[in-house]
Amino acid sequence: MKLIFLGPPGAGKGTQATIVSEKLSIPTISTGDMLRAAIAAGTEVGKLAQTYMDKGHLVPDEVVIHLVAERVSQPDCQKGYILDGVPRTIAQAEALEAEGIQFDHVLSIESLDDTVIGRLTGRRVCPNCRAIYHIKGHPTKVEGLCDVCGGRVVQRVDDAPETVRERLEVYHSLTEPLKGFYQQRGLLREVKDTGAVADTNQVIMDILEGN
Ligand code: ADP
Ligand code: ZN
């Protein structure tokens, strides 16, 4: 099973991808996570990527496609995988097609701009164990400290309000056209953002089980 999760930043792609990954026993490939790992490791790719990511801009297509092509060739991807955050441009989608990769479903999570702005600007993350919180929806028990590991939670640089608006603009202009691209190939399935993780997941599982 090869799946793509599309949707604006803050739609919950990563959250849903993690749940579906576990249920289907296939890995999630998140280019955002891979790029943040490259930044943390101080690699050349990381240094280059950071200059784009901090501004809310896309990292060049070649960089991302190279990372993905390498990752999907690994043994744990034989049975399938979920792409989270990639492709993000028509050029990336064409590059994946050129690699001969075929997908079973493209799930587009449909969230309103105002919803995702509130989610992202209120998001706090633990850099240590990667737990995710929200100042209103899911606050830490002790202010500023991770419930899981006690580390200090922070705001992602690209979750600052101006950068969130920039990321949304990038989504609407460069990524949203992918819906038409995959619609033409008969693969697009729209999933309403219900606001509740379990409900949205049920909608997704129904699609994957062919209902
Ligand atoms: P979100 O979906 O919340 O914006 P991600 O973690 O998917 O978060 O992406 C964070 C940043 O990483 C993006 O704003 C972009 O700079 C970069 N990035 C991630 N995936 C891609 C991609 N496929 N193509 C180009 N840039 C990417
Ligand atoms: Zn933590």
Short mmCIF file of all heavy atoms in Angstrom, two decimals, residues 97-136:
data_model
loop_
_atom_site.label_atom_id
_atom_site.label_comp_id
_atom_site.label_asym_id
_atom_site.label_seq_id
_atom_site.Cartn_x
_atom_site.Cartn_y
_atom_site.Cartn_z
N GLU A 97 6.81 10.06 -10.35
CA GLU A 97 6.30 9.25 -11.47
C GLU A 97 7.45 8.76 -12.34
O GLU A 97 7.48 7.61 -12.76
CB GLU A 97 5.32 10.06 -12.33
CG GLU A 97 3.92 10.02 -11.80
CD GLU A 97 2.89 10.56 -12.80
OE1 GLU A 97 3.27 11.11 -13.87
OE2 GLU A 97 1.70 10.46 -12.50
N ALA A 98 8.41 9.66 -12.57
CA ALA A 98 9.56 9.30 -13.40
C ALA A 98 10.40 8.20 -12.75
O ALA A 98 11.07 7.43 -13.44
CB ALA A 98 10.43 10.54 -13.66
N GLU A 99 10.35 8.11 -11.42
CA GLU A 99 11.05 7.03 -10.71
C GLU A 99 10.27 5.72 -10.81
O GLU A 99 10.70 4.69 -10.28
CB GLU A 99 11.19 7.36 -9.21
CG GLU A 99 11.99 8.60 -8.88
CD GLU A 99 13.49 8.31 -8.70
OE1 GLU A 99 13.83 7.14 -8.45
OE2 GLU A 99 14.27 9.25 -8.84
N GLY A 100 9.08 5.78 -11.40
CA GLY A 100 8.26 4.58 -11.57
C GLY A 100 7.43 4.23 -10.35
O GLY A 100 6.94 3.12 -10.22
N ILE A 101 7.28 5.19 -9.42
CA ILE A 101 6.52 4.92 -8.20
C ILE A 101 5.03 5.14 -8.47
O ILE A 101 4.64 6.18 -9.01
CB ILE A 101 6.99 5.84 -7.06
CG1 ILE A 101 8.49 5.62 -6.80
CG2 ILE A 101 6.17 5.60 -5.80
CD1 ILE A 101 9.09 6.56 -5.78
N GLN A 102 4.20 4.14 -8.11
CA GLN A 102 2.76 4.28 -8.28
C GLN A 102 2.06 4.23 -6.93
O GLN A 102 2.45 3.46 -6.06
CB GLN A 102 2.24 3.17 -9.18
CG GLN A 102 2.76 3.37 -10.60
CD GLN A 102 2.03 2.50 -11.60
OE1 GLN A 102 1.43 1.49 -11.23
NE2 GLN A 102 2.11 2.88 -12.86
N PHE A 103 1.04 5.04 -6.79
CA PHE A 103 0.35 5.15 -5.51
C PHE A 103 -1.03 4.52 -5.58
O PHE A 103 -1.64 4.45 -6.64
CB PHE A 103 0.26 6.62 -5.10
CG PHE A 103 1.62 7.21 -4.85
CD1 PHE A 103 2.29 7.90 -5.85
CD2 PHE A 103 2.25 7.02 -3.63
CE1 PHE A 103 3.56 8.41 -5.64
CE2 PHE A 103 3.52 7.52 -3.40
CZ PHE A 103 4.17 8.22 -4.41
N ASP A 104 -1.52 4.07 -4.40
CA ASP A 104 -2.86 3.49 -4.33
C ASP A 104 -3.91 4.56 -4.06
O ASP A 104 -5.00 4.52 -4.62
CB ASP A 104 -2.90 2.43 -3.22
CG ASP A 104 -1.97 1.28 -3.55
OD1 ASP A 104 -2.32 0.49 -4.45
OD2 ASP A 104 -0.88 1.20 -2.96
N HIS A 105 -3.60 5.48 -3.14
CA HIS A 105 -4.54 6.55 -2.81
C HIS A 105 -3.76 7.82 -2.47
O HIS A 105 -2.67 7.74 -1.89
CB HIS A 105 -5.37 6.23 -1.56
CG HIS A 105 -6.18 5.00 -1.67
ND1 HIS A 105 -7.37 4.93 -2.38
CD2 HIS A 105 -6.00 3.77 -1.14
CE1 HIS A 105 -7.87 3.72 -2.27
NE2 HIS A 105 -7.06 2.99 -1.53
N VAL A 106 -4.38 8.95 -2.79
CA VAL A 106 -3.86 10.24 -2.34
C VAL A 106 -4.95 10.85 -1.47
O VAL A 106 -6.05 11.15 -1.96
CB VAL A 106 -3.52 11.16 -3.53
CG1 VAL A 106 -3.08 12.53 -3.05
CG2 VAL A 106 -2.44 10.51 -4.40
N LEU A 107 -4.67 10.97 -0.18
CA LEU A 107 -5.67 11.47 0.76
C LEU A 107 -5.39 12.93 1.05
O LEU A 107 -4.31 13.28 1.54
CB LEU A 107 -5.59 10.66 2.06
CG LEU A 107 -5.90 9.18 1.87
CD1 LEU A 107 -5.35 8.36 3.01
CD2 LEU A 107 -7.39 8.97 1.75
N SER A 108 -6.35 13.78 0.72
CA SER A 108 -6.16 15.21 0.94
C SER A 108 -7.00 15.65 2.14
O SER A 108 -8.22 15.61 2.09
CB SER A 108 -6.58 15.98 -0.32
OG SER A 108 -6.56 17.36 -0.08
N ILE A 109 -6.32 16.04 3.21
CA ILE A 109 -7.04 16.50 4.40
C ILE A 109 -7.42 17.96 4.20
O ILE A 109 -6.57 18.81 3.93
CB ILE A 109 -6.20 16.31 5.68
CG1 ILE A 109 -5.76 14.84 5.79
CG2 ILE A 109 -7.00 16.73 6.91
CD1 ILE A 109 -4.96 14.51 7.04
N GLU A 110 -8.73 18.21 4.27
CA GLU A 110 -9.27 19.54 3.94
C GLU A 110 -9.51 20.33 5.22
O GLU A 110 -10.45 20.05 5.96
CB GLU A 110 -10.59 19.38 3.18
CG GLU A 110 -10.48 18.54 1.92
CD GLU A 110 -9.65 19.21 0.84
OE1 GLU A 110 -9.81 20.44 0.65
OE2 GLU A 110 -8.82 18.53 0.21
N SER A 111 -8.64 21.31 5.47
CA SER A 111 -8.77 22.14 6.67
C SER A 111 -8.90 23.60 6.25
O SER A 111 -8.33 24.01 5.25
CB SER A 111 -7.52 22.03 7.55
OG SER A 111 -7.16 20.70 7.76
N LEU A 112 -9.64 24.37 7.04
CA LEU A 112 -9.78 25.80 6.76
C LEU A 112 -8.53 26.54 7.22
O LEU A 112 -7.88 26.16 8.20
CB LEU A 112 -10.99 26.36 7.51
CG LEU A 112 -12.33 25.72 7.13
CD1 LEU A 112 -13.45 26.26 8.03
CD2 LEU A 112 -12.64 25.98 5.66
N ASP A 113 -8.19 27.63 6.52
CA ASP A 113 -6.99 28.41 6.88
C ASP A 113 -7.03 28.85 8.34
O ASP A 113 -6.02 28.74 9.05
CB ASP A 113 -6.87 29.65 5.98
CG ASP A 113 -6.36 29.28 4.58
OD1 ASP A 113 -6.22 28.07 4.30
OD2 ASP A 113 -6.11 30.19 3.78
N ASP A 114 -8.18 29.35 8.79
CA ASP A 114 -8.25 29.84 10.17
C ASP A 114 -7.98 28.73 11.18
O ASP A 114 -7.37 28.96 12.23
CB ASP A 114 -9.61 30.47 10.46
CG ASP A 114 -9.74 31.84 9.81
OD1 ASP A 114 -8.68 32.41 9.45
OD2 ASP A 114 -10.87 32.33 9.65
N THR A 115 -8.44 27.54 10.87
CA THR A 115 -8.21 26.39 11.76
C THR A 115 -6.72 26.11 11.90
O THR A 115 -6.20 25.96 13.01
CB THR A 115 -8.90 25.12 11.19
OG1 THR A 115 -10.26 25.42 10.94
CG2 THR A 115 -8.76 23.94 12.14
N VAL A 116 -6.03 26.04 10.77
CA VAL A 116 -4.62 25.66 10.85
C VAL A 116 -3.75 26.80 11.41
O VAL A 116 -2.76 26.53 12.10
CB VAL A 116 -4.06 25.13 9.50
CG1 VAL A 116 -4.86 23.95 9.03
CG2 VAL A 116 -4.00 26.19 8.44
N ILE A 117 -4.15 28.03 11.18
CA ILE A 117 -3.38 29.15 11.77
C ILE A 117 -3.42 29.05 13.29
O ILE A 117 -2.39 29.15 13.96
CB ILE A 117 -3.94 30.52 11.28
CG1 ILE A 117 -3.59 30.72 9.80
CG2 ILE A 117 -3.37 31.67 12.13
CD1 ILE A 117 -4.26 31.93 9.15
N GLY A 118 -4.60 28.79 13.85
CA GLY A 118 -4.72 28.64 15.30
C GLY A 118 -3.91 27.46 15.83
O GLY A 118 -3.25 27.55 16.85
N ARG A 119 -3.96 26.34 15.08
CA ARG A 119 -3.23 25.16 15.53
C ARG A 119 -1.72 25.37 15.53
O ARG A 119 -1.02 25.00 16.47
CB ARG A 119 -3.52 23.98 14.58
CG ARG A 119 -4.77 23.25 14.94
CD ARG A 119 -4.88 22.01 14.07
NE ARG A 119 -6.27 21.61 14.02
CZ ARG A 119 -6.82 20.96 13.02
NH1 ARG A 119 -6.11 20.63 11.96
NH2 ARG A 119 -8.09 20.64 13.07
N LEU A 120 -1.21 25.96 14.45
CA LEU A 120 0.25 26.05 14.31
C LEU A 120 0.85 27.12 15.21
O LEU A 120 1.90 26.91 15.81
CB LEU A 120 0.62 26.35 12.85
CG LEU A 120 0.30 25.22 11.88
CD1 LEU A 120 0.56 25.68 10.44
CD2 LEU A 120 1.13 23.98 12.18
N THR A 121 0.17 28.26 15.32
CA THR A 121 0.77 29.33 16.13
C THR A 121 0.71 28.97 17.62
O THR A 121 1.51 29.46 18.40
CB THR A 121 0.09 30.69 15.87
OG1 THR A 121 -1.31 30.56 16.08
CG2 THR A 121 0.34 31.17 14.45
N GLY A 122 -0.23 28.08 18.01
CA GLY A 122 -0.31 27.65 19.41
C GLY A 122 0.47 26.37 19.69
O GLY A 122 0.54 25.92 20.82
N ARG A 123 1.08 25.80 18.65
CA ARG A 123 1.79 24.52 18.82
C ARG A 123 3.11 24.72 19.57
O ARG A 123 3.81 25.70 19.35
CB ARG A 123 2.08 23.92 17.44
CG ARG A 123 2.93 22.67 17.48
CD ARG A 123 2.80 21.87 16.20
NE ARG A 123 3.50 22.49 15.08
CZ ARG A 123 3.57 21.95 13.87
NH1 ARG A 123 2.95 20.81 13.62
NH2 ARG A 123 4.21 22.56 12.90
N ARG A 124 3.42 23.80 20.45
CA ARG A 124 4.72 23.78 21.12
C ARG A 124 5.25 22.36 20.99
O ARG A 124 4.48 21.40 21.05
CB ARG A 124 4.59 24.15 22.61
CG ARG A 124 4.08 25.57 22.86
CD ARG A 124 5.07 26.65 22.40
NE ARG A 124 4.56 28.00 22.66
CZ ARG A 124 3.79 28.69 21.82
NH1 ARG A 124 3.43 28.16 20.65
NH2 ARG A 124 3.38 29.90 22.14
N VAL A 125 6.55 22.25 20.79
CA VAL A 125 7.13 20.92 20.59
C VAL A 125 8.27 20.70 21.57
O VAL A 125 8.93 21.64 22.00
CB VAL A 125 7.65 20.73 19.14
CG1 VAL A 125 6.51 20.86 18.14
CG2 VAL A 125 8.73 21.76 18.80
N CYS A 126 8.49 19.44 21.90
CA CYS A 126 9.63 19.08 22.75
C CYS A 126 10.76 18.62 21.82
O CYS A 126 10.63 17.59 21.18
CB CYS A 126 9.26 17.96 23.71
SG CYS A 126 10.71 17.39 24.63
N PRO A 127 11.85 19.40 21.72
CA PRO A 127 12.93 19.03 20.81
C PRO A 127 13.62 17.73 21.25
O PRO A 127 14.24 17.05 20.44
CB PRO A 127 13.92 20.19 20.91
CG PRO A 127 13.26 21.26 21.72
CD PRO A 127 12.14 20.63 22.48
N ASN A 128 13.45 17.40 22.51
CA ASN A 128 14.13 16.24 23.07
C ASN A 128 13.44 14.93 22.67
O ASN A 128 14.07 14.03 22.13
CB ASN A 128 14.17 16.40 24.59
CG ASN A 128 14.99 15.34 25.27
OD1 ASN A 128 16.02 14.93 24.73
ND2 ASN A 128 14.54 14.90 26.43
N CYS A 129 12.10 14.82 22.92
CA CYS A 129 11.41 13.55 22.63
C CYS A 129 10.36 13.70 21.54
O CYS A 129 9.67 12.75 21.21
CB CYS A 129 10.77 13.00 23.91
SG CYS A 129 9.28 13.86 24.40
N ARG A 130 10.21 14.90 21.00
CA ARG A 130 9.31 15.22 19.88
C ARG A 130 7.82 15.18 20.24
O ARG A 130 6.97 15.16 19.33
CB ARG A 130 9.61 14.32 18.68
CG ARG A 130 11.05 14.55 18.21
CD ARG A 130 11.49 13.50 17.27
NE ARG A 130 11.24 13.89 15.90
CZ ARG A 130 11.18 13.04 14.90
NH1 ARG A 130 11.30 11.76 15.10
NH2 ARG A 130 10.97 13.47 13.69
N ALA A 131 7.49 15.20 21.53
CA ALA A 131 6.08 15.30 21.91
C ALA A 131 5.54 16.65 21.43
O ALA A 131 6.29 17.63 21.33
CB ALA A 131 5.95 15.19 23.42
N ILE A 132 4.24 16.68 21.10
CA ILE A 132 3.63 17.90 20.57
C ILE A 132 2.50 18.36 21.49
O ILE A 132 1.69 17.55 21.95
CB ILE A 132 3.10 17.65 19.14
CG1 ILE A 132 4.27 17.30 18.22
CG2 ILE A 132 2.36 18.88 18.62
CD1 ILE A 132 3.84 16.89 16.83
N TYR A 133 2.45 19.66 21.75
CA TYR A 133 1.44 20.24 22.64
C TYR A 133 0.77 21.42 21.94
O TYR A 133 1.19 21.84 20.87
CB TYR A 133 2.11 20.72 23.94
CG TYR A 133 2.81 19.60 24.67
CD1 TYR A 133 4.17 19.35 24.44
CD2 TYR A 133 2.12 18.76 25.53
CE1 TYR A 133 4.82 18.29 25.07
CE2 TYR A 133 2.75 17.70 26.16
CZ TYR A 133 4.10 17.48 25.93
OH TYR A 133 4.72 16.43 26.54
N HIS A 134 -0.31 21.92 22.57
CA HIS A 134 -0.93 23.16 22.08
C HIS A 134 -1.28 23.99 23.31
O HIS A 134 -1.84 23.45 24.28
CB HIS A 134 -2.18 22.85 21.26
CG HIS A 134 -2.72 24.08 20.57
ND1 HIS A 134 -3.50 24.99 21.24
CD2 HIS A 134 -2.54 24.55 19.32
CE1 HIS A 134 -3.80 25.98 20.39
NE2 HIS A 134 -3.23 25.73 19.24
N ILE A 135 -0.94 25.28 23.25
CA ILE A 135 -1.11 26.11 24.45
C ILE A 135 -2.55 26.10 24.98
O ILE A 135 -2.76 26.21 26.18
CB ILE A 135 -0.63 27.57 24.22
CG1 ILE A 135 -1.22 28.15 22.94
CG2 ILE A 135 0.89 27.64 24.17
CD1 ILE A 135 -0.97 29.65 22.78
N LYS A 136 -3.54 25.94 24.07
CA LYS A 136 -4.93 25.88 24.55
C LYS A 136 -5.46 24.45 24.54
O LYS A 136 -5.99 23.95 25.51
CB LYS A 136 -5.84 26.75 23.67
CG LYS A 136 -5.56 28.23 23.83
CD LYS A 136 -6.79 29.06 23.45
CE LYS A 136 -6.42 30.51 23.14
NZ LYS A 136 -6.30 30.76 21.68
#
